[in-house]
Amino acid sequence: MNTVIGIVVLVVCAIGAASILSWVFKQTAKLLKPYGPGTMLRVGRSEEDLDKKLTKWEDLPHYKGRTWLGGLPVLADVICPDKHDYSTVSYMDHWFKQYVYDVMTNFAGGLDAKGIAYHLVIPVALIMAGFSAVNVLTITGLIFAWLYLWFSPSATRAARRSAERSKNLKPNDWRKIYQEVAESKEREDELVRALRRSGIRRL
């Protein structure tokens, strides 16, 4: 009797394990599968706009630069997206490649020796002031990792979304927008000055 119960338990466990492994395999395959015709992506909008329609992969501007290991982009061909110029927007054919592309936009203009030296001034000064080098380098490394591996790619994604939303705007449209903003700011400043002259300091 115990043997029968043991066999039943093993069969149930085997079925459960097989189901879990099958699910993991399918999810991994989805992650590794590159985008292609028919793939729908959420672009040009924030996470709050989930009710809007998705965009077909084939309708997006694809990365046309050189690639190397596993299809990753070459740094020299990476272009930082500009919200004023939709032609600077490029999409890779896989989410991880897109993330690497976004990280590379930090260095799209080449490595800036002066910028690197500027970032190292504070850590070096703290070490020279007597702080523990291990602690300073650990904290600095974490900050740089956050800046370059999370903050900067998210800023690049935001710029790309903005370019997507305004892709139909021409240079003249942008000039008109900024002119209107400047005029609005000037009117606001005039109102503030008028209120101050009248003796009203705070609204």
Side-chain angles (χ1 to χ4, degrees):
M1 185 66 179
N2 290 338
T3 303
V4 174
I5 294 175
I7 292 173
V8 171
V9 170
L10 286 175
V11 169
V12 171
C13 290
I15 293 173
S19 300
I20 293 173
L21 289 174
S22 175
W23 180 83
V24 170
F25 178 78
K26 289 178 181 178
Q27 298 304 314
T28 303
K30 287 181 181 178
L31 291 176
L32 298 177
K33 183 181 179 182
Y35 304 143
T39 303
M40 305 297 287
L41 300 175
R42 183 180 297 111
V43 297
R45 55 191 66 91
S46 63
E47 293 299 323
E48 290 78 17
D49 302 325
L50 300 181
D51 58 327
K52 295 186 178 179
K53 292 182 179 179
L54 301 177
T55 304
K56 292 182 180 179
W57 158 249
E58 52 267 34
D59 294 337
L60 297 172
H62 302 165
Y63 172 74
K64 295 180 174 63
R66 294 167 294 172
T67 59
W68 63 297
L69 181 66
L72 295 176
V74 173
L75 178 59
D77 294 340
V78 170
I79 301 174
C80 190
D82 181 356
K83 70 177 182 179
H84 304 103
D85 186 359
Y86 186 62
S87 65
T88 61
V89 173
S90 295
Y91 287 93
M92 301 295 292
D93 64 354
H94 191 270
W95 67 269
F96 181 73
K97 295 178 187 177
Q98 188 70 59
Y99 170 75
V100 173
Y101 183 97
D102 294 345
V103 170
M104 285 185 171
T105 58
N106 286 301
F107 315 102
L111 296 177
D112 183 5
K114 289 183 179 179
I116 294 174
Y118 175 78
H119 288 312
L120 294 177
V121 167
I122 294 179
V124 171
L126 290 174
I127 292 172
M128 293 179 65
F131 288 90
S132 169
V134 174
N135 292 338
V136 170
L137 293 177
T138 299
I139 294 173
T140 302
L142 292 174
I143 292 173
F144 285 167
W146 176 77
L147 285 174
Y148 289 115
L149 300 180
W150 185 86
F151 180 77
S152 180
S154 65
T156 299
R157 288 192 296 272
R160 192 165 51 244
R161 285 196 299 266
S162 181
E164 284 282 355
R165 288 193 292 266
S166 58
K167 62 182 177 183
N168 295 323
L169 294 179
K170 306 301 182 195
N172 287 336
D173 297 326
W174 280 112
R175 279 192 286 271
K176 184 178 180 181
I177 289 171
Y178 283 118
Q179 181 180 355
E180 291 176 353
V181 170
E183 291 173 354
S184 176
K185 182 68 167 62
E186 186 177 348
R187 288 194 296 270
E188 182 182 337
D189 291 342
E190 288 177 357
L191 177 61
V192 170
R193 287 194 294 269
L195 290 173
R196 286 177 178 172
R197 284 195 298 269
S198 68
I200 301 175
R201 296 296 179 182
R202 302 178 70 176
L203 295 177

